[in-house]
Amino acid sequence: MYARRRHLYFAMMGTCIGLFVLAWAVVRIWSVPAAVGLCVVAMVIPPVAAMVANRRGPDDRWWDDPSGDPQSDEWWDELDGKKRPRQ
């Protein structure tokens, strides 16, 4: 999942840069308002790309990192099904 999000992020950021360069290198010759419109679209892409890259997938869990408290870590592992409870 991480690789897919990373690829999507870089594709979105590449599209953003491409739109910006296209707007001011090519489109401005024919229409400045259209170039500004392309820049506005390019301006919206980076925050969306950041949200896409940082969202949590169904397999991603924020509590995977140990907290330092062995009892708490053992409890979370039991809830996650990583370890069987002590018998």
Side-chain angles (χ1 to χ4, degrees):
M1 291 302 279
Y2 175 72
R4 179 179 293 159
R5 288 193 311 254
R6 187 178 55 196
H7 289 143
L8 185 57
Y9 172 80
F10 284 119
M12 291 176 79
M13 292 306 288
T15 301
C16 174
I17 291 171
L19 282 173
F20 185 74
V21 170
L22 180 70
W24 293 113
V26 178
V27 176
R28 74 168 170 88
I29 296 169
W30 290 283
S31 173
V32 172
V36 171
L38 283 175
C39 285
V40 168
V41 171
M43 180 181 68
V44 173
I45 293 174
V48 174
M51 286 185 274
V52 167
N54 290 316
R55 74 171 185 245
R56 297 282 182 190
D59 296 332
D60 297 337
R61 294 186 307 270
W62 58 270
W63 59 82
D64 282 342
D65 296 330
S67 67
D69 177 20
Q71 186 177 8
S72 176
D73 293 339
E74 185 177 316
W75 184 73
W76 279 109
D77 288 342
E78 181 182 332
L79 285 177
D80 289 341
K82 290 182 181 178
K83 294 181 182 176
R84 300 184 119 190
R86 285 194 247 172
Q87 295 179 359

